[in-house]
Amino acid sequence: MSDTETAATRAPDAPHPLRWSALGLLGLAQLMLILDITVVAIALPDMGSELGLGRAALTWVVSGYALTFGSLMLLGGRAADLFGPKRVVLAGLALFTVASLAAGLATGAPLLLAARIAQGAGAAMLSPAALSVVVRLFDGDERNRALGIWSALGGGGAALGVLLGGLITAGPGWAWVFFVNVPVGLVVLVSLARILPRLPRAATGSLDLPGAVLVAAATGALIYALIRAGDHGWLSGLTVLLVVAAVVGYAVFALWQRRAAAPLMDLRLLGRRPVVAGTFVIAVATALMVGVFFLGSFYLQNLQGHGALTTGVLFLPVALLTMAAAASAGRVIGRLGARLLGVAALAVAALGFLVPVLWSGTAAMVTGVSVAAAGLGALFVVASATALASVAPQEAGVTSGIVSTFHEFGASAGAAAVSSAAATSIAARTGAGNASGFDDAFLVATGMAAVSAVIVLRLIPARRAP
């Protein structure tokens, strides 16, 4: 039976009876994808020691996943529109689960990085298709509630990953940050296959593979430039050349989208102010969140001499404040409006990032990052409510792909940027006392949050969120 035929057995306006169960399973799958960024970040020092990985390779363990995730997200969203989101969700989850098993079995950099890229490809299929299902299953106030839950998973999942990463690394070992995905992925896969409704296809045509290649190549050039800058300087010849290549790649991608018979995305969506504002906010929020977790892992372990388990426990207040702030933001955004809430959230984040610059030590770092995380938790809700609260069903897949793409672009750029800013401190041996690189990186985060607050004040529409 086709997707359209299945959908026709229900009244067009009737809510699906299993929509909340489907949201729970999709949310668990999405949580697994988000956890995989920060849970791995905590395991990086042990992983690097056992496998003999340098700073650039360790950065690519995080950025390679996020880069592939982000680069192929538009393709995943388009595939959900063309083939039906259920098929794409299940295929993406299966690929992610198998790749997780391979990553845990890795004995060197080649297999580990290849498995991380495969994980990113599976996540790129799963995430936008799952978000497309959420947007299409819910409407009105229920959609806002569902998007609020989805946003809380994004912020809270990143923070929980730090705690789980410490527990797993200090217990069975770093490989289990990947192995744990296997049983969870299989259970969710079987459950989704039974409960997830078949939604009608939202588009016809074919996949734009040239467009996917162009956007992936441009993003890869940009992220590699950020990573390389930590060792060779921001103004080195190759770094500048890579940035230029990325800009040219994005320009060619835009031209191709205007000429392609079945473009990867409708460029007119990027002309809508709510979509532009939402994608900007999600990129900034994710860059700051992932960048700080990457930075905090090395700060606490390399500079302060804490073990992986202690580091995870120290990040517990960060996780709790992130989720609490996201939940609270979902309740008040209708009254305050997305613009005011976004500016306030970024101001709080900037103040939090400044704390470990002004005061040194474990307590100052944890306090500052916890305050910043409260602001970032609210910011995830602002991003989703702004960009996705009122999209039409036929735009759900591609719009979800756009938002999810900028989520992962922010993740890869955030990890690469703070890695470069703190390169000297990350490379220092444990307890060496070299904090200058960490101070520089926290200042970068402070400046990014402050500048973004000014941009958000002008970019997010003044009208209140739905």
Side-chain angles (χ1 to χ4, degrees), residues 69-99:
F69 195 172
S71 298
L72 300 179
M73 200 80 73
L74 289 176
L75 189 64
R78 177 66 174 169
D81 287 339
L82 289 174
F83 306 125
K86 179 175 182 176
R87 291 187 180 95
V88 180
V89 164
L90 296 180
L93 181 55
L95 177 57
F96 180 85
T97 303
V98 172

Side-chain angles (χ1 to χ4, degrees), residues 281-363:
V281 172
I282 198 72
V284 170
T286 311
L288 291 173
M289 180 71 78
V290 173
V292 165
F293 286 138
F294 185 94
L295 184 65
S297 173
F298 282 97
Y299 183 97
L300 292 174
Q301 295 184 70
N302 284 21
L303 183 64
Q304 298 297 321
H306 298 296
L309 177 59
T310 302
T311 298
V313 173
L314 286 171
F315 269 103
L316 180 59
V318 179
L320 296 177
L321 280 172
T322 302
M323 291 186 291
S328 299
R331 292 193 295 268
V332 304
I333 190 171
R335 297 194 299 271
L336 298 179
R339 175 192 282 185
L340 178 59
L341 184 58
V343 172
L346 283 164
V348 170
L351 290 174
F353 292 136
L354 197 57
V355 171
V357 178
L358 299 177
W359 296 278
S360 60
T362 298

Side-chain angles (χ1 to χ4, degrees), residues 117-200:
I117 290 171
Q119 278 188 305
M125 298 170 65
L126 171 59
S127 186
L131 186 53
S132 174
V133 172
V134 173
V135 173
R136 294 172 64 181
L137 282 184
F138 296 91
D139 197 13
D141 290 338
E142 280 196 346
R143 179 187 286 185
N144 293 331
R145 288 172 56 196
L147 288 175
I149 293 172
W150 193 265
S151 302
L153 290 173
L160 282 174
V162 180
L163 174 60
L164 292 177
L167 293 173
I168 293 172
T169 303
W174 65 264
W176 282 89
V177 302
F178 301 114
F179 287 149
V180 73
N181 292 331
V182 178
V184 176
L186 290 175
V187 170
V188 174
L189 181 65
V190 173
S191 301
L192 282 176
R194 298 181 58 186
I195 199 174
L196 196 64
R198 290 176 179 263
L199 296 170

Side-chain angles (χ1 to χ4, degrees), residues 196-271:
L196 196 64
R198 290 176 179 263
L199 296 170
R201 297 178 180 89
T204 58
S206 59
L207 290 176
D208 179 19
L209 294 179
V213 171
L214 283 170
V215 74
T219 306
L222 180 59
I223 299 305
Y224 182 51
L226 289 170
I227 294 172
R228 193 178 185 280
D231 292 322
H232 303 282
W234 293 94
L235 298 179
S236 69
L238 183 56
T239 301
V240 173
L241 181 63
L242 287 167
V243 172
V244 171
V247 173
V248 172
Y250 286 127
V252 174
F253 170 74
L255 291 175
W256 172 254
Q257 294 308 284
R258 295 181 182 277
R259 298 183 58 184
L264 190 64
M265 63 175 289
D266 184 353
L267 293 178
R268 290 175 296 181
L269 283 172
L270 295 179

